[in-house]
Amino acid sequence: MTTTPLSLLRLILPVLGAGLILIGLPATTRAQNIVVMVNGDPITDFDIEQRSKLDQLTTQKTPSRQDVINELIDDKVKIKEGKKYGVDPAAADIDQSYAGMAQRMRVAPDQLTKSLEVKGVRPETLKSRMRAEMVWTSLVRGRYKERLQVGEKDVADKVRSEGGEKLQIEGTEYKMQPIVLIVPRGSSQAFMEQRHKEAETYRGRVASCEEANSLFRSTPNAAIRETVTKTTAELPEALRKVLDDTPIGHLTPPELTKQGIEMVVLCSRKPTMIDTPKKREIREKMYAEKYEKTSKAYLEEIRKAAMIEYRKR
């Protein structure tokens, strides 16, 4: 069964939070009746209607009008609080996040936009909602960093209380540097094949990370990134197998991506101890609980201080 962009969108949205939604396009002549003013910023009937439609699309449930109004108020106060602390993502940051969503859906950003427009969805409104979530995540994690820390002893005690016997297991640590041979957008198939052949030639020449750095830092239309260190637990199985089959200092097989022809030079591979899946799961759960509790209290605090005025209908 083929997955359409919109169905994929439903899978991607939870990553950005349960409140992340898409808002449909109105008729251009529709009146903008103001329902609520939040710190001088209006929420209209149109805003409420569109948020309701998208909530229904993403959750398969019909939200109450007041719940939707509360979501929109939350967005307004989050944005205002962000500006208070200088947290105000640039348009380029929002566009990058939008492009990242499209990439996870395996479509180009303009394809995502077109698929939304077909359903009457405004990509600008999605970007606005993404802005609110980006601001809020940055605020909570930045202002309450210490409060959100999860102690190793607490994690270990929780693992043992749930019947876990081991806290760590043997794994592998990989040090590597990503490399990309740039392929401009819209390039011909012949050009891509040429770049692929170049990549295979480089694979035969490179035998160490030092050689890779010397070569690709001076090669036109190519880039080598900074060293990345990952463990077994942080890599998908398919990539782990490729890295395990790659000799130290050599390049992985070339792969065509949106950036171009990508490879990785493997700088080192050594045994290490890593957390068990159970321990990682519990740590992530404990962090999520702390984040949710802190976020809720913080939001309640700034909502109380906000100027929220409901307009009579």
Side-chain angles (χ1 to χ4, degrees):
M1 183 177 77
T2 302
T3 307
T4 65
L6 257 296
S7 61
L8 276 168
L9 183 62
R10 296 189 185 101
L11 300 177
I12 295 298
L13 285 175
V15 175
L16 297 175
L20 182 57
I21 63 163
L22 305 174
I23 299 179
L25 287 167
T28 56
T29 57
R30 178 165 182 161
Q32 298 290 301
N33 297 315
I34 297 175
V35 178
V36 189
M37 293 292 292
V38 182
N39 296 317
D41 201 4
I43 294 175
T44 67
D45 272 325
F46 166 61
D47 298 326
I48 297 167
E49 175 189 323
Q50 299 308 309
R51 175 60 66 92
S52 297
K53 288 181 179 180
L54 205 42
D55 276 355
Q56 189 168 7
L57 172 65
T58 57
T59 67
Q60 302 302 307
K61 297 179 181 179
T62 303
S64 71
R65 180 179 172 84
Q66 188 58 49
D67 284 345
V68 173
I69 292 174
N70 284 334
E71 289 177 11
L72 294 169
I73 291 174
D74 288 348
D75 281 358
K76 300 288 187 186
V77 298
K78 287 174 182 178
I79 293 293
K80 185 175 186 296
E81 184 75 358
K83 290 180 179 179
K84 175 181 174 182
Y85 289 96
V87 182
D88 188 14
D93 297 323
I94 306 301
D95 288 342
Q96 184 177 3
S97 182
Y98 186 81
M101 174 181 286
Q103 185 175 26
R104 291 190 294 273
M105 295 166 60
R106 300 185 182 279
V107 298
D110 58 348
Q111 290 177 301
L112 172 57
T113 296
K114 288 178 182 177
S115 67
L116 296 177
E117 289 174 344
V118 165
K119 296 293 183 178
V121 172
R122 296 175 58 192
E124 294 79 9
T125 310
L126 170 56
K127 291 179 180 181
S128 177
R129 186 67 184 99
M130 293 170 75
R131 177 187 292 274
E133 289 301 316
M134 289 171 67
V135 166
W136 190 241
T137 299
S138 180
L139 280 174
V140 176
R141 291 180 177 175
R143 295 198 64 202
Y144 300 100
K145 183 177 181 179
E146 293 185 2
R147 186 183 299 183
L148 295 174
Q149 290 181 352
V150 178
E152 285 298 303
K153 184 179 183 302
D154 294 334
V155 175
D157 290 345
K158 185 67 173 177
V159 171
R160 294 188 183 100
S161 71
E162 295 190 8
E165 297 181 0
K166 292 184 177 181
L167 297 177
Q168 290 192 313
I169 55 176
E170 292 184 359
T172 304
E173 178 189 88
Y174 306 90
K175 286 188 178 181
M176 51 199 164
Q177 287 184 265
I179 294 164
V180 59
L181 303 184
I182 299 169
V183 176
R185 188 173 179 180
S187 295
S188 66
Q189 183 66 30
F191 182 78
M192 288 188 284
E193 290 175 359
Q194 177 187 332
R195 295 246 74 184
H196 196 281
K197 289 179 181 178
E198 291 175 20
E200 290 292 357
T201 300
Y202 290 135
R203 289 187 73 205
R205 293 173 54 185
V206 172
S208 70
C209 275
E210 291 75 15
E211 289 183 11
N213 276 273
S214 176
L215 174 63
F216 291 108
R217 291 191 190 283
S218 61
T219 299
N221 299 316
I224 182 166
R225 313 300 187 195
E226 294 301 316
T227 302
V228 176
T229 301
K230 297 288 185 180
T231 66
T232 307
E234 300 171 294
L235 297 172
E237 183 178 354
L239 180 53
R240 292 201 308 266
K241 186 177 187 311
V242 170
L243 292 173
D244 287 338
D245 291 341
T246 301
I248 304 298
H250 289 253
L251 297 168
T252 58
E255 179 183 0
L256 179 63
T257 69
K258 293 183 183 299
Q259 285 68 45
I261 305 295
E262 293 196 32
M263 300 174 286
V264 168
V265 56
L266 181 62
C267 299
S268 70
R269 179 179 56 229
K270 62 182 181 180
T272 189
M273 297 301 292
I274 62 174
D275 291 341
T276 61
K278 182 68 173 179
K279 185 179 179 182
R280 293 198 306 273
E281 176 189 341
I282 287 177
R283 180 188 287 108
E284 291 169 1
K285 182 178 179 181
M286 292 176 72
Y287 180 87
E289 290 172 350
K290 280 177 173 282
Y291 181 92
E292 181 64 26
K293 182 179 179 180
T294 302
S295 174
K296 182 178 180 180
Y298 187 14
L299 185 57
E300 289 177 352
E301 175 188 333
I302 62 175
R303 275 194 62 141
K304 288 179 181 177
M307 295 179 61
I308 303 173
E309 175 190 358
Y310 283 82
R311 294 292 180 89
K312 293 183 179 179
R313 298 180 65 82

